[in-house]
Amino acid sequence: MFRKKVLPILLLPLCILLAFPCLFAQAAGSGGDDRPVQTLLMYDSLSHGTRKEGNVEALQRLLASFDVQVTLKSFDKYEPDTLKNYDDVIVIRNAPDLTGPPAAYLTDLQQYRGRYLHIGAQLPEQAAQALKLREEPGGQAIVRLKIGPFTGPSIRAELFSSIVGYEGKAYGSWSSSNRPETSPYGVVQGRYGYVPFMEKGDLSEIAVSYLLRDWLGASGESRYYAVFKEIYPFSDLDMLRRMADRLYESGIPFMASVRPVLDNFDYPAVQRYLETLKYVQSRNGTIVVHAPFVASTISQDYTTLKKQMSAFVNALAEYGIAPLAVGAEMYWTYDEHYASQGMDLFDSVVMFANERIVYRTPTDRSKTFASLLYSLEAGKLQAYGEAARNTEPLPMDAALVFDFPRDEKQFRDTLAMLQNDWRTFADYKNSDHSVRTDRHEIESAHGLLQIDGKTLLLNKVYEDVDSAHTYIQEGPRSLDALFTVQNRVFIILILSTLIIFSGFLLIGYRLYKRKYIHPGRKQ
């Protein structure tokens, strides 16, 4: 009896000790789900003025679309023991003729156990051994790249080394005028990946995404979205409504990235803008708030941006419009001011390529979001010779971007391009998105839009907005009565003077006639 009572008591501490590792592992796993993947992106040169210029920026955009938080550093700013703080390391070697990586980096790389991806020349020996890589050097040649359903146009370039032997999975293929045999564009084996070359704006940028998806272990289905941008309050709003109608009738969901209005929400022009956006929303269109244009950072008030973005989102919400994302150029996510003041209201982003970089508080670490769309110009994929009826999505969620039409011809061409496209465009509001301001909470899920917990009804008829409006409010005037009496007195005096003066003119004219015109007449 004693053993039966004591034995469970003795076994209880042992069971607790055995359970601790499982509890810690579960806690670590749950914490890791909320933490974005930390990636260190290193480069030797930005290669300004060469064909490789911009490839670092292009890779930053691709990584953001895979929910990766990127820290960007050049080799000359590397500090010892940095690598161990990151899940992944990506190196771009644009200038192999420059001095190699610092000794501290090479030492840390020998001990690094995370994923490693190398783009360009001078692949480290340990990566080459893991990939069982054999290469042949190249020279000047005509290069043609293929990946998935895409084939890039032939370009003359400094030929990169050809992969002639490897272990692992190959991605794409390319051939050249010097070497008719095809060579893999890139390879992945375990935690190592290798790509001989990458350039911004051509097919190699898309090709890298196929390799990145598997190397990062990304999962889930990817989709295409149609996005219209460059929509302003002074755009042709009638054309915007017609476009929404035509796309709705064709069963094509779309997104409108609209420029914000920062003040004067009661003006008829702004009311017509809001009324049109509400109509667009009812025609299966999703509203995206495009980041304000940055002309200069000299006179910017640090707190103004967030107030202005909040004011516009609040105005939309109070008009029954539910914006679901912010559209911004990539550099906004690498700027503490723009990320915290301009983008913090949103958990979803449509990321556009940089056009004009105007930093306020730049940082080397990107801001991550729950949802981010990689954007590319509409028609770009057709330029890569894809099959006419190809419907296979890209490895990441992609937004095909159209500029809002400026005339009837562009309007017809844009509609024809969308209606003849074999792709299936996804409805953005079918995914989870949320926007929170100081006054409103906007959410979407399963095709429903909610503002402050209330579901929006999307049946809408456009209503004309009265143009009558007092743009300058009149204040109280205490001397109105005095000035009115004074004005009347002046009017009476002036009229009396004119009457008297007219009388004198008449008398003078009669005297003139008697004296000079009829001199013989008796006076």
Side-chain angles (χ1 to χ4, degrees):
M1 181 67 69
F2 177 76
R3 289 183 178 178
K4 290 182 180 180
K5 292 183 178 181
V6 174
L7 188 58
I9 297 174
L10 295 175
L11 291 176
L12 182 61
L14 181 61
C15 293
I16 293 175
L17 289 173
L18 292 174
F20 268 137
C22 297
L23 293 174
F24 281 128
Q26 184 177 0
S30 60
D33 292 340
D34 297 331
R35 171 182 171 273
V37 175
Q38 301 295 313
T39 298
L40 177 63
L41 176 56
M42 301 193 68
Y43 63 93
D44 57 357
S45 170
L46 295 177
S47 295
H48 294 297
T50 71
R51 291 185 58 88
K52 297 178 183 177
E53 180 180 357
N55 62 357
V56 174
E57 175 188 311
L59 189 56
Q60 288 174 270
R61 281 212 306 139
L62 285 172
L63 290 170
S65 68
F66 288 108
D67 191 25
V68 171
Q69 186 167 39
V70 177
T71 300
L72 182 66
K73 286 188 181 296
S74 60
F75 277 132
D76 57 1
K77 294 183 179 179
Y78 183 81
E79 298 177 357
D81 297 327
T82 298
L83 293 188
K84 65 182 181 182
N85 300 320
Y86 295 92
D87 304 306
D88 309 320
V89 173
I90 301 177
V91 171
I92 297 184
R93 295 300 307 272
N94 284 330
D97 54 330
L98 293 179
T99 304
Y105 165 79
L106 296 175
T107 301
D108 292 345
L109 185 61
Q110 291 292 331
Q111 303 172 357
Y112 183 67
R113 295 296 176 264
R115 290 181 293 231
Y116 180 86
L117 173 62
H118 191 92
I119 300 175
Q122 298 183 353
L123 178 69
E125 184 61 29
Q126 65 195 78
Q129 292 179 359
L131 295 169
K132 301 290 192 295
L133 197 70
R134 290 186 295 109
E135 293 183 285
E136 289 182 358
Q140 285 283 347
I142 302 297
V143 179
R144 191 173 182 85
L145 173 63
K146 296 181 179 181
I147 190 149
F150 308 111
T151 300
S154 299
I155 58 172
R156 178 173 292 277
E158 186 73 28
L159 190 60
F160 319 94
S161 297
S162 303
I163 299 175
V164 295
Y166 65 93
E167 277 191 7
K169 182 177 179 180
Y171 295 83
S173 63
W174 61 279
S175 58
S176 69
S177 56
N178 289 356
R179 188 175 184 276
E181 298 87 357
T182 60
S183 174
Y185 171 69
V187 293
V188 168
Q189 169 75 342
R191 64 188 182 95
Y192 288 101
Y194 171 57
V195 175
F197 66 96
M198 175 189 175
E199 295 180 1
K200 178 184 177 181
D202 66 15
L203 185 55
S204 62
E205 181 177 340
I206 301 297
V208 168
S209 67
Y210 285 84
L211 184 145
L212 277 176
R213 177 182 57 185
D214 292 345
W215 181 73
L216 290 168
S219 59
E221 295 182 359
S222 53
R223 295 163 288 271
Y224 282 116
Y225 297 88
V227 178
F228 288 87
K229 68 171 187 174
E230 303 305 328
I231 300 174
Y232 300 85
F234 48 80
S235 297
D236 189 337
L237 301 182
D238 291 334
M239 182 180 288
L240 180 57
R241 291 192 295 272
R242 287 195 293 124
M243 183 187 71
D245 287 336
R246 296 288 296 277
L247 292 176
Y248 181 75
E249 293 165 2
S250 302
I252 301 174
F254 66 99
M255 303 165 67
S257 186
V258 302
R259 293 285 185 176
V261 179
L262 305 180
D263 202 352
N264 301 321
F265 298 113
D266 58 335
Y267 281 17
V270 178
Q271 292 293 306
R272 282 193 291 273
Y273 189 46
L274 297 179
E275 184 69 20
T276 300
L277 298 185
K278 190 172 184 179
Y279 183 80
V280 167
Q281 178 180 261
S282 71
R283 309 302 277 175
N284 214 18
T286 296
I287 304 302
V288 175
V289 179
H290 201 110
F293 177 77
V294 180
S296 173
T297 61
I298 297 176
S299 60
Q300 286 185 10
D301 181 1
Y302 187 82
T303 60
T304 299
L305 180 58
K306 190 165 189 176
K307 291 179 181 178
Q308 291 175 334
M309 292 293 284
S310 296
F312 183 61
V313 173
N314 287 335
L316 292 176
E318 289 159 12
Y319 209 86
I321 303 169
L324 298 183
V326 60
E329 295 178 34
M330 189 199 69
Y331 81 90
W332 273 55
T333 63
Y334 284 85
D335 190 292
E336 293 180 0
H337 173 65
Y338 297 135
S340 62
Q341 300 296 310
M343 307 178 76
D344 204 42
L345 305 176
F346 308 85
D347 74 344
S348 302
V349 175
V350 180
M351 180 176 288
F352 301 110
N354 291 337
E355 295 181 5
R356 180 175 176 268
I357 299 176
V358 186
Y359 281 119
R360 172 64 184 265
T361 313
T363 178
D364 61 0
R365 177 170 293 186
S366 65
K367 177 178 174 61
T368 58
F369 296 86
S371 170
L372 191 146
L373 297 186
Y374 174 86
S375 68
L376 66 163
E377 294 179 7
K380 187 74 172 180
L381 297 182
Q382 282 85 344
Y384 295 144
E386 63 174 338
R389 298 188 178 186
N390 172 56
T391 59
E392 177 187 346
L394 293 176
M396 62 288 187
D397 285 341
L400 301 186
V401 180
F402 301 81
D403 283 340
F404 182 67
R406 296 184 178 181
D407 52 43
E408 284 297 323
K409 182 180 184 304
Q410 190 178 3
F411 175 77
R412 292 192 298 269
D413 292 345
T414 301
L415 284 176
M417 183 184 298
L418 280 166
Q419 291 170 342
N420 296 330
D421 201 312
W422 284 82
R423 297 181 186 87
T424 299
F425 291 99
D427 191 343
Y428 195 66
K429 61 180 175 288
N430 284 338
S431 303
D432 295 340
H433 308 283
S434 66
V435 182
R436 288 178 173 81
T437 69
D438 55 339
R439 287 155 50 184
H440 298 288
E441 182 175 336
I442 303 167
E443 294 181 329
S444 75
H446 308 298
L448 298 178
L449 298 175
Q450 291 186 336
I451 298 179
D452 300 329
K454 298 180 181 178
T455 301
L456 294 181
L457 298 178
L458 299 183
N459 53 332
K460 172 66 180 173
V461 176
Y462 179 77
E463 298 178 3
D464 289 324
V465 177
D466 189 2
S467 298
H469 182 78
T470 303
Y471 286 92
I472 300 178
Q473 299 296 330
E474 297 183 358
R477 297 175 294 185
S478 59
L479 299 178
D480 270 2
L482 176 62
F483 287 132
T484 301
V485 173
Q486 185 180 13
N487 290 337
R488 289 175 179 174
V489 171
F490 284 145
I491 291 172
I492 293 172
L493 288 176
I494 292 170
L495 289 176
S496 301
T497 303
L498 289 174
I499 293 172
I500 294 171
F501 183 72
S502 299
F504 281 124
L505 285 176
L506 180 61
I507 293 171
Y509 176 71
R510 294 181 65 182
L511 291 174
Y512 171 79
K513 284 177 65 177
R514 289 177 182 178
K515 186 171 182 178
Y516 296 102
I517 299 178
H518 305 289
R521 182 178 296 180
K522 294 182 180 180
Q523 300 295 324

